[in-house]
Amino acid sequence: SKTDFVMSTVLSEKIYGTKDVTQDIKEELDKLEKDQLSWREDHSVVSKINADAQKGIKTKLDSDMTSWVEDSLELAKRSNGAFDPTIGRLTRLWNIEGDNPKVPSKQEIKNTLEDTGYTKIHLEKVESQNTANTKKNVDKDIKDNTAKNKETSEDTSKNTNTNESVSSIYIGDKCTLDLGAVGKGIACDVVQDYLKKQKEVSGAVIAVGGSILLYGSKADGSDWNVAVQNPRGQDGEAMGVLSLSGTTNVSTSGDYEKYFMQDGKRYHHILDPSTGYPADSGLISVTIVSDDGTLADGLSTSLFIMGEEKAAQFWRENSDEFETIMETADGKLYVTEGIVDSLTTDMDVTVIHK
């Protein structure tokens, strides 16, 4: 077990097996943030995309970034904009994670919202000689052409290394890309791809902030137990425990994670792209369980913004992809039917049926 700091949050790692890969995982995630996702790093891909957008030019993307942008745009569309990867400037305007957060003026919010909107992102896919491999199958870690993926034979690993451009992105004027709301989920997926290649690792629990990857199994074959934070309790106080088996992801978003108080009102970090203010949907915590880490992370934010009714309907339409636990401000707990038997809690549960 090891605890570290990565992507501006706590990384906690528990590995089952004969090899300690905790340092390798931390390095993978530092690299992911520095080279790809961080808007704070001048040389990252996201920073380059945003700098190019200001100049009105396209940016070429490798297969990994193409896939992450594509997944983000897909979720933005499906959630009717509850998830929006272009609200970075709004996030920075509120500065809720910074030292001096303050409620912006209505005008500042209005001006910033005019420059946001996922429809301003234009992704153009380029067909390359190994299209079949370009999306999900491209090995996330073929950085040095030595790693090998079951879908990618030795010869083509050169062609599919991540320098190969498979698409280009263009963003409309003044709009910026920010993958922060799926960053921890992307991290979980990258770690899962890495662990699949580590024959000496039989199981792992990797938590990147509120996103947790459960990988493989414990030595004794017992279930993974994941405590779900009580949004109004002390840090570490659970409102329930999920018992899960096999490889999956658990992601939680809540209004208790990052917030500030002004004039007696709580302003949390989950901003609603339609209003520019912290989401006021009646929910205070949303947990998602999904095989897809990026989706789990993005959905915990999206459903929080939608509110319980719309979120329940969204689950009914996409129930093959995830399960959810939602807690409302008035203390009600809503749990989808596929996961209700996995949750142990003292709270009254309302089951969401298909």
Side-chain angles (χ1 to χ4, degrees):
S1 295
K2 190 172 178 204
T3 303
D4 238 307
F5 198 70
V6 69
M7 300 174 90
S8 312
T9 193
V10 177
L11 166 69
S12 96
E13 306 174 74
K14 194 171 171 68
I15 306 289
Y16 297 84
T18 55
K19 182 180 175 187
D20 180 6
V21 291
T22 51
Q23 190 52 35
D24 295 358
I25 287 172
K26 176 169 180 354
E27 285 166 14
E28 284 277 328
L29 296 185
D30 280 337
K31 195 164 182 296
L32 171 71
E33 180 181 34
K34 204 160 167 288
D35 297 353
Q36 300 265 26
L37 302 182
S38 178
W39 54 265
R40 292 182 180 89
E41 297 279 346
D42 290 347
H43 300 293
S44 76
V45 177
V46 164
S47 289
K48 180 169 175 14
I49 290 168
N50 290 333
D52 286 352
Q54 296 305 309
K55 299 177 203 149
I57 54 180
K58 289 179 184 177
T59 314
K60 287 186 168 168
L61 302 183
D62 69 12
S63 54
D64 285 350
M65 187 55 82
T66 300
S67 167
W68 299 328
V69 170
E70 209 170 23
D71 290 348
S72 296
L73 290 177
E74 167 84 358
L75 181 54
K77 250 188 224 98
R78 285 167 60 190
S79 67
N80 282 327
F83 177 83
D84 193 321
T86 66
I87 64 165
R89 286 182 59 208
L90 185 68
T91 307
R92 295 193 272 289
L93 178 68
W94 279 87
N95 196 27
I96 291 173
E97 297 179 42
D99 296 334
N100 300 303
K102 64 172 195 332
V103 180
S105 72
K106 284 194 172 125
Q107 194 56 47
E108 283 177 307
I109 289 174
K110 185 171 177 287
N111 294 348
T112 307
L113 283 181
E114 280 169 10
D115 298 327
T116 64
Y118 69 92
T119 53
K120 294 183 168 124
I121 297 181
H122 307 283
L123 186 66
E124 292 171 11
K125 298 285 290 280
V126 174
E127 299 299 320
S128 68
Q129 68 263 37
N130 34 322
T131 313
N133 288 334
T134 48
K135 196 169 180 287
K136 298 292 187 198
N137 296 345
V138 176
D139 197 317
K140 294 275 193 284
D141 290 292
I142 303 180
K143 298 290 190 269
D144 54 4
N145 291 336
T146 54
K148 199 174 91 172
N149 173 350
K150 61 181 183 295
E151 280 99 1
T152 312
S153 70
E154 200 72 76
D155 337 324
T156 60
S157 67
K158 286 184 206 45
N159 303 337
T160 52
N161 83 35
T162 50
N163 298 326
E164 183 201 359
S165 163
V166 296
S167 67
S168 62
I169 187 171
Y170 172 72
I171 305 186
D173 188 34
K174 289 192 184 166
C175 188
T176 57
L177 175 71
D178 180 3
L179 296 177
V182 283
K184 320 287 190 280
I186 289 171
C188 288
D189 289 338
V190 166
V191 171
Q192 184 176 327
D193 285 332
Y194 166 80
L195 287 172
K196 281 177 184 163
K197 297 195 217 77
Q198 310 306 314
K199 298 288 169 269
E200 306 89 338
V201 176
S202 55
V205 178
I206 309 292
V208 189
S211 293
I212 303 168
L213 165 68
L214 307 171
Y215 175 80
S217 59
K218 290 190 209 171
D220 63 2
S222 62
D223 281 352
W224 303 115
N225 288 320
V226 179
V228 182
Q229 171 69 33
N230 173 352
R232 294 295 177 260
Q234 297 297 312
D235 193 22
E237 187 184 317
M239 59 92 157
V241 175
L242 272 171
S243 298
L244 302 164
S245 60
T247 299
T248 192
N249 295 271
V250 181
S251 184
T252 299
S253 289
D255 68 355
Y256 56 89
E257 296 168 292
K258 297 164 192 152
Y259 65 91
F260 70 96
M261 303 294 291
Q262 187 171 315
D263 305 326
K265 187 166 159 49
R266 174 198 292 250
Y267 293 92
H268 62 78
H269 74 294
I270 304 170
L271 301 173
D272 183 339
S274 67
T275 65
Y277 286 86
D280 185 13
S281 67
L283 290 173
I284 57 174
S285 174
V286 173
T287 296
I288 302 285
V289 178
S290 174
D291 292 344
D292 182 328
T294 305
L295 183 69
D297 194 6
L299 281 178
S300 65
T301 306
S302 311
L303 268 57
F304 187 101
I305 290 166
M306 288 178 196
E308 185 273 320
E309 279 182 35
K310 281 186 185 157
Q313 193 48 42
F314 185 87
W315 171 76
R316 288 185 188 105
E317 290 160 12
N318 302 280
S319 57
D320 55 330
E321 291 180 62
F322 73 99
E323 300 290 343
T324 183
I325 300 168
M326 300 182 278
E327 184 172 345
T328 59
D330 54 7
K332 292 198 175 80
L333 200 62
Y334 293 86
V335 184
T336 52
E337 63 182 18
I339 206 178
V340 72
D341 294 339
S342 310
L343 180 70
T344 309
T345 179
D346 294 335
M347 292 178 68
D348 287 339
V349 171
T350 302
V351 181
I352 300 171
H353 295 283
K354 283 179 191 167

